[in-house]
Structures are given as C-alpha cells and as structure tokens.
Amino acid sequence: MKKKYFKYINTLFVVVPMTLIMAFVGLIRNYGFGEDWFFKFLNAWSVMLPVAYLAAFLIIPRARKLAEKVTSEDKKTQTIRF
C-alpha cells in the first residue's frame, strides 16, 4: 500500500469502531432493545460514519499542533521550573 493512502485508511480504522460503539451506546441508552433496534442502529451509524470521518480530518491536524505546542519545551518554560 502506498504511503499517500495511509492517513485515510488509518483514520477509517479509528472512525469505524468509534462510531459503531457510539451509535450502539446512544441507541441502547435512548431506545433500548425495541423490536427494530438493529435498523435504528444501522440508520444512526450510516449518518455518524461520514460525519465523523470528515470531522477527523479537521480535528486531527489541529489536535496534533496543540499537543506539540503543549508538550514542547521553549526557553520561557525552562526558566520558570520549580
């Protein structure tokens, strides 16, 4: 597999199980196991998956920059250590 597809496939492998879990928990919490719970689950998951997949591409780069900013040691934080 080419490296240029890695981030898309990696994101998909993260988003699919997360949305499955969230759709299942949300459905069971709100509706319980009714007679058509499985179709409600598929309907909720089919909406959640593309939204979460696209949102991940907006959130992940910003989260990476924020994490780098928080964890980087610059000269100001080195002089303030206790």
Side-chain angles (χ1 to χ4, degrees):
M1 180 72 54
K2 294 183 180 181
K3 282 284 192 185
K4 72 177 186 176
Y5 298 117
F6 177 80
K7 78 175 187 177
Y8 301 110
I9 293 172
N10 184 47
T11 303
L12 186 67
F13 285 153
V14 172
V15 168
V16 167
M18 276 183 31
T19 55
L20 281 170
I21 292 167
M22 295 304 293
F24 182 75
V25 169
L27 180 85
I28 299 307
R29 188 174 188 311
N30 290 323
Y31 298 109
F33 286 106
E35 69 179 55
D36 60 342
W37 73 270
F38 187 70
F39 294 110
K40 287 181 182 177
F41 166 74
L42 288 178
N43 187 23
W45 183 62
S46 68
V47 171
M48 291 175 78
L49 182 64
V51 171
Y53 189 71
L54 294 174
F57 286 110
L58 297 174
I59 294 169
I60 290 172
R62 288 168 179 80
R64 184 176 294 128
K65 286 179 186 177
L66 180 62
E68 288 172 357
K69 189 175 185 179
V70 168
T71 58
S72 70
E73 292 187 32
D74 58 0
K75 293 180 182 176
K76 290 180 183 177
T77 58
Q78 289 176 353
T79 59
I80 300 177
R81 289 187 186 170
F82 294 109

